[in-house]
């Protein structure tokens, strides 16, 4: 028993954070969703660069706390003048989440002899405030006019469908024709962020947008994706990567601070403003907790004024 504990401790002294991350990416990350795998790969590079040479046994809470503060201060990222660019709290929280899970797996599954997970003994940065970005009517008009004029009609369909349904970009881009039932006016999402399949009802406008996209006369026969890109080097078509042109259009319209995910916020808030209950909205959006749902439902004050006026008129 003592010899086994000694061997486990010795393995913790020998295995570096860099080695542990490589094993994690090979064994653990492939079990996650593609978006989570991409996040793991991205964050593992940061952790390897900053902490990779430490052995698992040598990485103490004090060292991790210094890493946290340096990341928050932006010491590893400078602007053109050499001034540090601070990192968002949520960015650093996700860095620490990966590091913490790495230690958990190493202790529980790999038999690495460590007395505790050092990440559990430091403070995490406070979660950032939920975004409260709503589109004004003028902003929406300018944005939609711009995407409507783009040469590839898929951009128009994607942006407008996001506003009509509240679906995430990843959910829209991976849609295949068999998932869209225009007759019943529903979309069946098989893979979602919270891993729970859901069925999204479609407005009349959303149905017409999907009908246009599915019946597009130049649709190739080699893909079932609704929003597809050009064939890759392997000859396979993957989802349409609209982000470069989306970013360009936003900047041109002076809306650089608008994120695509804000369209989901906008849609969910409009569902609430239309009078749908929390349960009805969550059934459409896929939010499991009412607390998280409320972060997405930012009602316009002017719309609430109208509601108050209506209440006064009834009295």
């Amino acid at each position: 028993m003592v010899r086994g504990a000694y061997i486990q401790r010795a393995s913790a002294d020998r295995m570096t954070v860099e080695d542990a991350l490589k094993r994690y990416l090979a064994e653990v990350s492939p079990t996650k969703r593609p978006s989570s795998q991409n996040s793991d790969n991205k964050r593992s590079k940061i952790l390897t660069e900053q902490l990779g040479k430490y052995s698992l046994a040598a990485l103490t809470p004090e060292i991790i706390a210094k890493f946290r503060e340096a990341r928050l201060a932006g010491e590893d990222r400078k602007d053109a003048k050499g001034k540090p660019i601070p990192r968002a709290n949520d960015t650093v929280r996700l860095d620490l989440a990966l590091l913490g899970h790495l230690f958990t797996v190493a202790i529980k599954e790999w038999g690495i002899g460590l007395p505790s997970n050092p990440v559990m003994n430091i403070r995490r940065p406070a979660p950032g405030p939920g975004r409260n970005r709503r589109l004004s009517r003028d902003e929406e008009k300018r944005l939609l006019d711009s995407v409507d004029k783009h040469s590839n009609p898929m951009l128009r369909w994607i942006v407008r469908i996001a506003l009509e349904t509240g679906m995430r970009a990843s959910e829209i881009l991976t849609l295949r024709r068999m998932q869209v039932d225009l007759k019943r006016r529903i979309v069946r999402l098989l893979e979602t962020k919270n891993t729970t399949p859901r069925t999204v009802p479609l407005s009349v406008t959303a149905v017409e947008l999907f009908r246009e996209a599915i019946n597009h006369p130049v649709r190739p026969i080699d893909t079932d994706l609704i929003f597809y890109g050009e064939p890759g080097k392997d000859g396979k078509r993957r989802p349409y990567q609209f982000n470069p042109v989306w970013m360009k259009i936003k900047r041109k319209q002076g809306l650089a601070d608008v994120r695509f995910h804000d369209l989901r916020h906008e849609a969910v808030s409009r569902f609430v403003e239309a009078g749908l209950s929390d349960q009805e909205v969550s059934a459409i959006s896929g939010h499991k907790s009412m607390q998280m749902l409320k972060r997405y439902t930012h009602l316009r004050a002017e719309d609430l004024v109208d509601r108050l006026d209506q209440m006064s008129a009834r009295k």
Side-chain angles (χ1 to χ4, degrees):
M1 186 70 176
V2 173
R3 178 174 172 75
Y6 173 79
I7 293 174
Q8 287 184 334
R9 180 65 189 183
S11 64
D13 289 330
R14 289 194 303 268
M15 180 178 283
T16 65
V17 172
E18 181 176 7
D19 292 336
L21 282 167
K22 288 179 180 178
R23 182 173 177 181
Y24 184 96
L25 292 176
E27 297 179 9
V28 182
S29 288
T31 66
K32 301 181 182 181
R33 290 171 50 78
S35 58
S36 297
Q37 293 180 40
N38 291 336
S39 177
D40 284 353
N41 279 296
K42 176 182 176 182
R43 298 185 189 286
S44 67
K45 293 178 182 178
I46 300 297
L47 295 172
T48 297
E49 179 183 328
Q50 301 294 324
L51 304 170
K53 301 306 179 185
Y54 288 97
S55 70
L56 295 183
L59 196 60
T60 63
E62 290 78 16
I63 294 172
I64 298 173
K66 288 181 180 179
F67 163 77
R68 175 197 64 203
E69 296 307 311
R71 284 282 283 166
L72 288 171
E75 293 180 8
D76 60 337
R77 182 176 65 165
K78 307 291 177 64
D79 62 16
K81 297 181 179 180
K83 184 178 179 181
I85 304 175
R87 303 279 180 173
N89 283 16
D90 285 344
T91 297
V92 181
R93 283 176 62 86
L94 291 172
D95 293 338
L96 295 174
L98 175 58
L99 185 61
H101 193 232
L102 170 68
F103 271 95
T104 296
V105 172
I107 294 170
K108 293 184 176 181
E109 298 186 19
W110 299 346
I112 302 297
L114 292 170
S116 64
N117 184 335
V119 183
M120 301 301 292
N121 295 319
I122 68 165
R123 290 180 295 103
R124 306 290 181 95
R131 280 177 63 81
N132 189 23
R133 185 65 167 90
R134 297 288 305 272
L135 290 174
S136 69
R137 289 174 177 80
D138 175 66
E139 289 175 334
E140 180 180 355
K141 183 178 185 305
R142 287 190 284 125
L143 190 62
L144 294 182
D145 284 347
S146 295
V147 299
D148 287 348
K149 293 175 183 176
H150 185 59
S151 58
N152 190 332
M154 283 191 283
L155 179 65
R156 169 180 181 268
W157 296 325
I158 289 169
V159 171
R160 287 180 174 272
I161 285 171
L163 273 173
E164 287 292 322
T165 66
M167 287 193 288
R168 301 176 179 89
S170 60
E171 294 169 344
I172 297 173
L173 293 178
T174 56
L175 281 175
R176 297 183 180 275
R177 284 181 288 182
M178 66 176 185
Q179 294 175 247
V180 182
D181 188 332
L182 295 180
K183 185 175 181 180
R184 297 177 62 190
R185 291 175 51 181
I186 57 173
V187 169
R188 298 181 182 88
L189 297 180
L190 308 177
E191 294 186 8
T192 64
K193 183 178 179 180
N194 60 25
T195 71
T196 302
R198 76 177 190 275
T199 300
V200 179
L202 300 177
S203 65
V204 172
T205 300
V207 168
E208 289 307 310
L209 291 166
F210 272 115
R211 180 172 285 114
E212 288 180 23
I214 292 172
N215 296 329
H216 191 40
V218 298
R219 166 173 293 282
I221 62 174
D222 59 351
T223 183
D224 197 38
L225 286 167
I226 295 178
F227 306 109
Y228 52 87
E230 293 298 320
K233 293 181 179 179
D234 57 1
K236 295 181 179 179
R237 291 184 184 271
R238 292 174 175 79
Y240 172 49
Q241 298 302 311
F242 71 95
N243 198 56
V245 66
W246 163 254
M247 298 292 287
K248 183 177 180 180
I249 285 176
K250 288 194 308 171
R251 288 193 293 267
K252 186 175 181 180
Q253 292 299 324
L255 299 172
D257 66 320
V258 175
R259 302 175 185 173
F260 189 86
H261 201 71
D262 292 336
L263 304 183
R264 173 171 165 82
H265 294 204
E266 185 67 37
V268 173
S269 296
R270 291 179 183 183
F271 295 151
V272 175
E273 291 166 348
L276 297 183
S277 69
D278 287 350
Q279 288 77 12
E280 290 169 329
V281 174
S282 65
I284 298 173
S285 67
H287 290 102
K288 287 187 174 182
S289 74
M290 292 300 107
Q291 181 180 4
M292 181 58 71
L293 177 62
K294 290 183 185 302
R295 290 185 62 185
Y296 286 78
T297 54
H298 303 293
L299 307 182
R300 286 194 184 93
E302 57 266 34
D303 292 330
L304 294 178
V305 168
D306 292 339
R307 296 282 290 274
L308 291 173
D309 288 346
Q310 293 171 12
M311 289 173 59
S312 299
R314 285 197 294 270
K315 290 181 181 179

